[in-house]
Amino acid sequence: MTEPSDRPERPHEGDPTQALPSVDHTQPDRPQQAPDHHQSPWAPPRDEAQHHQPAGWYPQTQPTQQPWAGPTPAQRPPSPSVQPTTPARKPRRTVSLLGAATAVAATALLAGVTGGAVGGLAAERESGSGVVTLDGPPIDRPAGSVADIAGKAVPSVLTIRVGSSGRGGTGSGWVYDGKGHIVTNNHVVAAAGNSGQIAVELADGTRREAELVGRDVSYDLAVLKVDPAGLTPLPIGDSGDVVVGDHVVAVGSPLGLDSTVTSGIVSALERPVSAGEQGDQSYISAIQTDAAINPGNSGGPLLNARGEVVGVNSAIAQIPGGLRDSASGSIGVGFAIPSTQVRRTADQLIETGRAVHPIIGVHLDTRFDGEGARVLPDTIQGTNPVVPGGPADKAGVEAGDVITEIDGRRISDSDQLVVRIRAKEVGDTVRLTVERDGAERQLTMTLEAAKED
């Protein structure tokens, strides 16, 4: 056990890499009730920080409707300008297509009126219809454009539909390999629990039942498996090559609107994001983006200019305080799990059904408000601040030490230390800078795997 924190805005406490995440996060089940995307479970790292909430699980409000059942006429939602209550793909798609057809017709008519502005393209007016059609080569979409990236990626991005105890919700996922493995977020599929049903909907509207291969709370990732026929995997890029300012594209099913494409840039890297409640938290060293991400986007890919997956969209920022309810959608601050972590965890889940978490073996004092992460100074309820025989113990870390740097990079608080450790691999060697009795010490430590429950 770790000492309770007096700071409710920082819900986790204790060892970020053993007593806190590694013990409680090997493979726990989330609550069976579907999360409310308006009530954010994402815990802010500090009072002044933005609040985070899952971006992916979009609840359906029809209690008796299965998530893969088509909508009845009474369930059809209002127009897209009205806040939807139940995702209904077909009615919304109809509205979208009608809007697109009107725009195309208007554009074609304008081009016909301007005559020479069409650049020599032949215009033929259908007799009595007033409709102008243009003959000419198709528009060229340059490589790396949003349209080019979307055209290649959309067929490989799926809508995840989850149903359990009469409740349903939607999220996003994407084709990981040629064997039918689908990557999504843990919080997208957690609502299914052990007895719920999961189905995926392809971009063409067809649906397939999905089997849960494995999921991991700590990394907020899950892998499903479906019939691989006709599925094309997305190429996976190296998130280590991503820099601030890179152009990125997000694809998913926000608010149940499948095959939605948004674009933006990488706003920041290695943002420490901790999500969930005590004993059920996720730790992400996230890519921050201003590409629009909303509830339903979670589990969908974040793509670079080559169309490679560099992240999995997982969380959005939420304005704290009284303004929270009025700004529950995208405010241009979204977070994605880097692809290096995604690939490592997905491969482990496919191979063994569970992920391996690196630990250092200390219990942190979450009441500490100074710079850095402080190891608990005293034994509490029989819990040793430094786990005997653990990596930190072997490296010489002592109770009360303040960890200020890891691999030469400053640590601002315990959240950041947790995230930095979680981003490493078991067996990695790291350098710690610790403050003890007013002096700095350099320690070398090798990360070990957390013991399974």
Side-chain angles (χ1 to χ4, degrees):
M1 295 293 293
T2 56
E3 184 170 353
S5 169
D6 293 329
R7 302 169 59 189
E9 72 278 7
R10 299 170 60 104
H12 66 275
E13 56 193 39
D15 176 16
T17 55
Q18 168 144 343
L20 181 61
S22 62
V23 171
D24 296 328
H25 290 176
T26 52
Q27 200 74 321
D29 287 332
R30 282 182 179 268
Q32 302 304 309
Q33 291 186 346
D36 182 357
H37 69 276
H38 292 294
Q39 182 63 38
S40 169
W42 293 79
R46 289 208 184 268
D47 288 338
E48 68 276 9
Q50 67 272 14
H51 296 260
H52 306 123
Q53 68 176 5
W57 196 89
Y58 181 66
Q60 295 180 344
T61 57
Q62 298 296 334
T64 59
Q65 179 175 327
Q66 295 298 328
W68 41 84
T72 65
Q75 294 169 333
R76 290 175 182 168
S79 66
S81 62
V82 179
Q83 179 67 32
T85 57
T86 304
R89 181 182 57 80
K90 290 184 179 179
R92 283 201 177 93
R93 180 172 292 172
T94 301
V95 171
S96 176
L97 290 177
L98 288 174
T102 304
V104 171
T107 303
L109 180 59
L110 178 60
V113 172
T114 56
V118 299
L121 296 179
E124 298 180 358
R125 184 181 301 275
E126 296 183 8
S127 176
S129 68
V131 175
V132 174
T133 59
L134 301 179
D135 294 329
I139 298 174
D140 181 29
R141 268 77 180 185
S145 66
V146 174
D148 176 62
I149 296 169
K152 297 175 182 177
V154 164
S156 299
V157 180
L158 316 174
T159 299
I160 311 296
R161 298 188 179 275
V162 178
S164 178
S165 301
R167 303 187 65 181
T170 65
S172 304
W174 50 279
V175 183
Y176 182 70
D177 58 22
K179 299 179 180 179
H181 290 117
I182 308 299
V183 168
T184 185
N185 281 134
N186 171 67
H187 73 259
V188 170
V189 301
N194 296 323
S195 59
Q197 294 176 293
I198 304 173
V200 302
E201 181 174 313
L202 281 61
D204 63 5
T206 60
R207 297 183 184 180
R208 300 178 186 179
E209 292 187 3
E211 171 192 356
L212 179 63
V213 174
R215 63 189 185 95
D216 186 79
V217 173
S218 188
Y219 290 128
D220 195 20
L221 290 168
V223 175
L224 308 175
K225 189 172 184 180
V226 299
D227 180 358
L231 300 182
T232 302
L234 287 177
I236 303 177
D238 185 353
S239 55
D241 294 335
V242 173
V243 299
V244 173
D246 274 353
H247 181 65
V248 287
V249 174
V251 186
S253 303
L255 305 179
L257 299 170
D258 61 315
S259 302
T260 295
V261 177
T262 57
S263 67
I265 64 168
V266 173
S267 304
L269 298 171
E270 296 185 333
R271 288 294 198 205
V273 175
S274 59
E277 300 176 354
Q278 174 69 23
D280 196 19
Q281 288 177 282
S282 303
Y283 301 90
I284 307 171
S285 181
I287 298 172
Q288 180 183 328
T289 179
D290 67 351
I293 297 175
N294 286 285
N297 266 120
S298 268
L302 187 70
L303 307 161
N304 63 15
R306 293 193 295 267
E308 299 169 330
V309 178
V310 293
V312 171
N313 303 315
S314 300
I316 55 177
Q318 191 174 56
I319 296 175
L323 297 178
R324 186 178 305 175
D325 291 339
S326 63
S328 59
S330 173
I331 58 174
V333 185
F335 303 99
I337 305 170
S339 61
T340 52
Q341 183 65 66
V342 173
R343 183 193 290 270
R344 183 186 312 145
T345 303
D347 288 345
Q348 291 172 353
L349 291 175
I350 291 171
E351 183 177 353
T352 67
R354 47 192 312 131
V356 178
H357 307 144
I359 65 167
I360 63 174
V362 296
H363 294 264
L364 297 179
D365 184 1
T366 58
R367 298 173 303 173
F368 180 68
D369 58 3
E371 189 75 10
R374 184 172 71 175
V375 180
L376 282 172
D378 302 301
T379 298
I380 297 177
Q381 296 181 353
T383 299
N384 196 318
V386 180
V387 178
D393 186 35
K394 295 175 183 177
V397 176
E398 298 181 1
D401 282 355
V402 177
I403 301 172
T404 59
E405 293 183 4
I406 180 170
D407 289 335
R409 303 173 60 194
R410 297 293 296 178
I411 296 295
S412 60
D413 56 26
S414 58
D415 280 349
Q416 193 168 59
L417 177 62
V418 173
V419 168
R420 292 270 175 85
I421 294 298
R422 285 296 195 209
K424 301 287 186 179
E425 293 189 62
V426 172
D428 282 352
T429 298
V430 298
R431 292 179 294 108
L432 296 182
T433 300
V434 302
E435 289 183 357
R436 183 188 306 161
D437 300 328
E440 284 192 349
R441 290 172 168 80
Q442 304 295 323
L443 304 175
T444 301
M445 176 175 55
T446 300
L447 302 180
E448 299 178 3
K451 295 180 180 180
E452 297 183 1
D453 290 341

